[in-house]
Amino acid sequence: MAKAASRKPRKALHAYLSDEAHEAWHERSAAHGVSVSGLLEAIGQYIAADPEGEDFGSGAEIIKSARRIDTQRRRRLR
């Protein structure tokens, strides 16, 4: 019961990318053991925290955050 209450609504993000950019997103995500959606969510959190800033966080911070996001999502699916 508590699991359902902790779920936050999510929205889809759609983008049309070149074949090269599409592959780059998937390859980079796979190389770091995260999903593309986890990576996008992590970057989005940095943008939301500082909407006027230009800092998206370091690559290591983003990957760590994306892993945490993916872990939380897997736990909710159980």
Side-chain angles (χ1 to χ4, degrees):
M1 188 69 70
K3 281 186 179 181
S6 66
R7 290 186 182 170
K8 294 181 182 177
R10 297 186 297 171
K11 294 183 178 183
L13 175 67
H14 301 278
Y16 291 95
L17 306 173
S18 66
D19 289 341
E20 295 83 12
H22 183 268
E23 276 302 307
W25 274 101
H26 284 282
E27 287 176 7
R28 182 61 58 98
S29 296
H32 291 287
V34 299
S35 67
V36 173
S37 62
L39 193 57
L40 288 169
E41 179 78 22
I43 293 169
Q45 290 176 356
Y46 280 94
I47 293 169
D50 187 14
E52 300 297 320
E54 296 179 16
D55 181 15
F56 295 123
S58 74
E61 291 171 339
I62 291 169
I63 295 300
K64 184 176 178 180
S65 181
R67 286 183 179 142
R68 187 172 44 254
I69 290 163
D70 282 342
T71 299
Q72 290 169 348
R73 288 180 179 171
R74 280 193 300 275
R75 286 181 182 155
R76 280 189 291 221
L77 293 175
R78 291 183 188 168

